[in-house]
Amino acid sequence: MTMRTNYFLLLVMLLGIIPANNTHADNTTPKSVILYTPYTKISVSPGASIDYSVDLINNTDELVDANLSVSGLSGSWKYEMKSGGWNLSQLSVLPKEKKTFNLKVDVPLKVNKGSYHFVVTAGNTRLPLSVAVSQQGTYQTEFTTDQPNMQGNSKSTFTFSATLKNQTADQQLYALMANAPRGWNVVFKPNYKQATSAQVEANSSQSVSIDITPPANIKAGSYKIPVRAATGTTSAELELEVVVTGSYQMELTTPEGLLSADVTAGDVKRIELEVKNTGSSLLKDIQLSANKPIDWEVSFEPSKIEMLKAGETATVIAVLKASKKALPGDYVTTMMVKTPEINTEAQFRIAVKTPMIWGWVGVLIIIVSIGVVYYLFRKYGRR
C-alpha cells in the first residue's frame, strides 16, 4: 500500500466516516431479542420434573411478538410453557422490557443415562439447553421396608411399615397379597386404612402398614411371610420375617379333672394337682398360692416348680386344713400358679362336714332327751 493511500485512510478515520475497529464494534452491539435462563445445563434423575424460569428480553425500540417453541426432545419427554397460569405459544414484549415465562420439562422414567440437548425458540432467537440424566431409568415397582425382621411371642401382632413406590409413568392400582402359612392373619393398611389394594400415582410413593398375627398355638421359630403388590403390568415382592419366641400357656387341674373335695372342720385334706405347660415355651420359676377362706391354711408340696418344658405336666400336692370353727357347707378355695410371663387359676369347691364326735354327741343328747321325757311321763303321768 502506497504512502498516499495510508494518508487517505487516516484522514477518513479522523473525520469519523469509517470505524477505527469494525470487528470490536460488532461484538459490543447488543442483540435485539434475547432468551435467558441461568440453568443451561443441569443433572437430574429419571422421572424428575425440571422447572425453568426463562426471560424474553426485548432490546429493540419496537414491540416484539415472538412465537415460542421447543425442539430436540423425543416423544417420551413432556413439556409445557406457561405464564400467569396460561399455556403459551406466543409472547409479546414491549420495547426495552422483558417478560418471564416458565418452562416445565418432565424427564421420563424409562430413559438411558446420558446427556440430552434441546432448544427453546422465540421467533429467530434460540436458547440451547442441556440435561444430564445421572442414572439409568426404569419402569418398575418397588416394595421396601427399613425393618423386615421382628421378634415376639405368639400373642404378639407384628406391625411392619413398608413403602410402595410406583416408578412408572402411569397411575397404578396395586392388589396387595400375602403368601402366609395356614392360620396366619395378614392385614394391609395403605395410608393406615385396612384395604386389599392401593392406588399410587405415577412416579409417587405410598406408605403401607402390614399387621401380621400368628396362630394361637404356633411353635417357636422363624417364619418367612412373602407379601406382594401387583398390577397387570408391574409387580414387586417383599419378604418379611417373624421370629416367634414361643407361646406361654399353662393349665391347673386334677388327674380326674374334678375341682371339688370334702373335708371335716379342723381336719387336713390332701388334694393332688396337675400343672400342665400347654404352650410352646419353657416355663421357669412357677409359683403356687391360694386364695382361701378365713382361718384356713393351704400349703403346697413342692412349694414351687423350677421349670416345666413345653407339653410336660408336674404333680403338686395341695395340703388344705379347714378351720375348726368352719360350719357345715360349701367353701370356695382358689388355687393359683404363675410365672413372670403367665398365670392361671382353678376354683375348688370344698364341702365342710361336721366331725364324727359331734355326731355322737348329738345322738347322745337325743337319747338323753328321750330318757328324760320318758322318766317325767312315768313319774307324773298318773297324777
Side-chain angles (χ1 to χ4, degrees), residues 17 24 75 220 241 261 302:
I17 299 174
H24 178 73
E241 183 181 30

Side-chain angles (χ1 to χ4, degrees), residues 174-187:
Y174 292 95
L176 303 174
M177 300 165 284
N179 185 18
R182 182 178 178 182
W184 290 71
N185 187 39
V186 180
V187 176

Side-chain angles (χ1 to χ4, degrees), residues 54-110:
V54 184
D55 293 331
L56 179 58
I57 304 170
N58 179 10
N59 289 321
T60 70
D61 294 327
E62 298 179 355
L63 178 70
V64 170
D65 289 321
N67 293 321
L68 304 177
S69 63
V70 176
S71 60
L73 291 176
S74 65
S76 59
W77 291 62
K78 306 299 180 183
Y79 72 90
E80 63 179 9
M81 289 182 288
K82 284 189 173 184
S83 181
W86 301 92
N87 290 323
L88 291 180
S89 59
Q90 188 181 72
L91 195 59
S92 182
V93 187
L94 292 171
K96 306 300 181 181
E97 290 190 6
K98 71 177 182 180
K99 288 291 184 183
T100 301
F101 64 92
N102 297 316
L103 170 64
K104 181 182 179 183
V105 177
D106 293 328
V107 181
L109 285 164
K110 195 172 183 180

Side-chain angles (χ1 to χ4, degrees), residues 332-372:
V332 174
T333 299
T334 302
M335 308 290 186
M336 297 171 286
V337 287
K338 66 178 182 178
T339 71
E341 297 82 16
I342 191 173
N343 60 74
T344 189
E345 62 182 37
Q347 286 190 342
F348 285 78
R349 187 169 295 278
I350 309 298
V352 175
K353 297 180 179 180
T354 305
M356 290 297 294
I357 186 171
W358 291 110
W360 287 111
V361 169
V363 172
L364 182 59
I365 291 173
I366 293 172
I367 293 173
V368 171
S369 298
I370 294 173
V372 170

Side-chain angles (χ1 to χ4, degrees), residues 145-152 156-162 185-189 192 208-214 240-242:
T145 180
D146 294 333
Q147 182 62 51
N149 176 287
M150 286 191 179
Q151 178 176 306
S156 303
T157 295
F158 302 86
T159 301
F160 296 86
S161 296
N185 187 39
V186 180
V187 176
F188 294 94
K189 295 180 180 179
Y192 308 102
V208 179
S209 178
I210 306 171
D211 293 342
I212 299 179
T213 305
L240 304 175
E241 183 181 30
V242 171

